[in-house]
Amino acid sequence: MKVVRYDRFTGIDGIYLADLPEPVPGPGEVVVRVEAGALNPGALPALHGSSYTPGRDLAGVIVAAGADVHGFTAGDAVLGRLQSWDAHAQLVAIPVTQLISKPAALPWDVAGSLATTPMAGLGAIRAVEPRPGETVVISGASGGVGFTAAQLAVRAGATVIGLTSAAHFDLLRRHGIEPVRYGDGEHERIRTAADRVDAFIDAVGGGYLDLALDLGVPKDRIDTVVDYRGANEKGVKALGTTDAGGNPALADLAALAAAGDLHIPIAAAYPLTAVQDAYRALADRKLHGRIVLRPQDAAGGLTGEDAGVECQRP
């Protein structure tokens, strides 16, 4: 089977495909034929030898089960996250504790994109607990974390101000989010848009914790998913993926996405043979939406919403 490797740690050019034997499930594990798996920005430092092993989202169909597996069987469609180098592969052995059932209506590309970045958005929402009638500001509101958090805050009944570029204003407005242009003068623009700010989610870093404090947001209502050092220094929260609530929370996100109540944009999808191109697209940050690998696709080029091609296969 084909599997992605980047054990040379020389950046994107060091990523390569290897042929390895098909995995055998151990106790409590299943083997999943992977249909889709998103790339996450946290993987980029690992390409240069970071000690961090990035989590990788995946979705697919169980083809074999090991001993002591309960609740899943061959043929089940599942999604989850593998904290290992092995997730970008045609077949993956994974503990069943890291999987949930995939709703039938959920497209593969979306299912393979939920477990890390959107879960960080949910973790941030649970950290600041927006309430009906409150105002929440979210930096990076058109990004993977921020866009999920913004939609969930709207669902909670809050007024949401999303800091973003002008190019994404229409997107945010379609989802009930009030866009405000980021950059110089954003403090004044936020004040013009809202009399008060009750909570703040930082999905960008680079000074947004100071902005939140300058806006008078209480420290226990500020969360960052990127600026961990700043959070420690300023006494605010830094909760994200691992704080969202585990598999039950992931199942909630999957149900919302399957029902059309949570939009997870898919920007592009690549076969394993184009994995370097996929990571270059991730590093360039020019596409809006998740970048997905489709391990069962033998070949092909970029597809996606930005290219006018339907990516979201059920």
Side-chain angles (χ1 to χ4, degrees), residues 163-187:
L163 300 178
T164 188
S165 66
H168 296 123
F169 278 17
D170 287 345
L171 170 73
L172 296 193
R173 288 185 178 122
R174 288 198 302 271
H175 292 275
I177 304 155
E178 177 62 30
V180 167
R181 182 171 56 83
Y182 76 97
D184 292 343
E186 60 193 351
H187 183 287

Side-chain angles (χ1 to χ4, degrees), residues 41-282:
L44 294 172
L47 299 178
H48 298 277
S50 165
S51 59
Y52 170 67
T53 301
R56 290 162 163 179
D57 303 3
L58 60 88
V61 177
I62 294 173
V63 295
D68 301 321
V69 169
H70 305 286
F72 292 96
T73 189
D76 288 350
V78 293
L79 64 99
R81 179 172 178 264
L82 186 64
Q83 189 78 22
S84 124
W85 298 103
D86 300 323
H88 292 339
Q90 292 177 315
L91 296 168
V92 168
I94 181 172
V96 291
T97 55
Q98 294 170 224
L99 295 171
I100 66 168
S101 297
K102 183 185 88 68
L106 189 64
W108 282 120
D109 293 334
V110 175
S113 302
L114 286 177
T116 299
T117 297
M119 280 284 278
L122 176 57
I125 285 295
R126 293 191 169 182
V128 303
E129 298 181 325
R131 305 177 185 100
E134 291 189 330
T135 297
V136 181
V137 173
I138 300 177
S139 67
S142 59
V145 175
F147 190 42
T148 295
Q151 292 178 77
L152 294 175
V154 170
R155 287 184 60 80
T159 296
V160 181
I161 295 173
L163 300 178
T164 188
S165 66
H168 296 123
F169 278 17
D170 287 345
L171 170 73
L172 296 193
R173 288 185 178 122
R174 288 198 302 271
H175 292 275
I177 304 155
E178 177 62 30
V180 167
R181 182 171 56 83
Y182 76 97
D184 292 343
E186 60 193 351
H187 183 287
E188 291 74 19
R189 289 191 289 275
I190 292 170
R191 284 300 186 199
T192 299
D195 294 332
R196 73 177 194 280
V197 178
D198 301 287
F200 195 108
I201 292 172
D202 169 35
V204 175
Y208 277 107
L209 298 183
D210 289 327
L211 174 61
L213 292 169
D214 289 345
L215 289 167
V217 182
K219 290 184 177 181
D220 64 350
R221 303 293 304 281
I222 301 171
D223 185 67
T224 179
V225 299
V226 287
D227 189 1
Y228 304 112
R229 178 179 297 179
N232 184 60
E233 291 174 351
K234 301 177 191 304
V236 304
K237 296 178 179 179
L239 305 180
T241 300
T242 58
D243 311 289
N247 284 350
L250 181 57
D252 289 343
L253 283 185
L256 287 174
D261 295 326
L262 176 67
H263 180 49
I264 306 294
I266 305 297
Y270 296 81
L272 290 186
T273 52
V275 62
Q276 287 191 2
D277 294 335
Y279 270 95
R280 289 191 184 99
L282 180 69

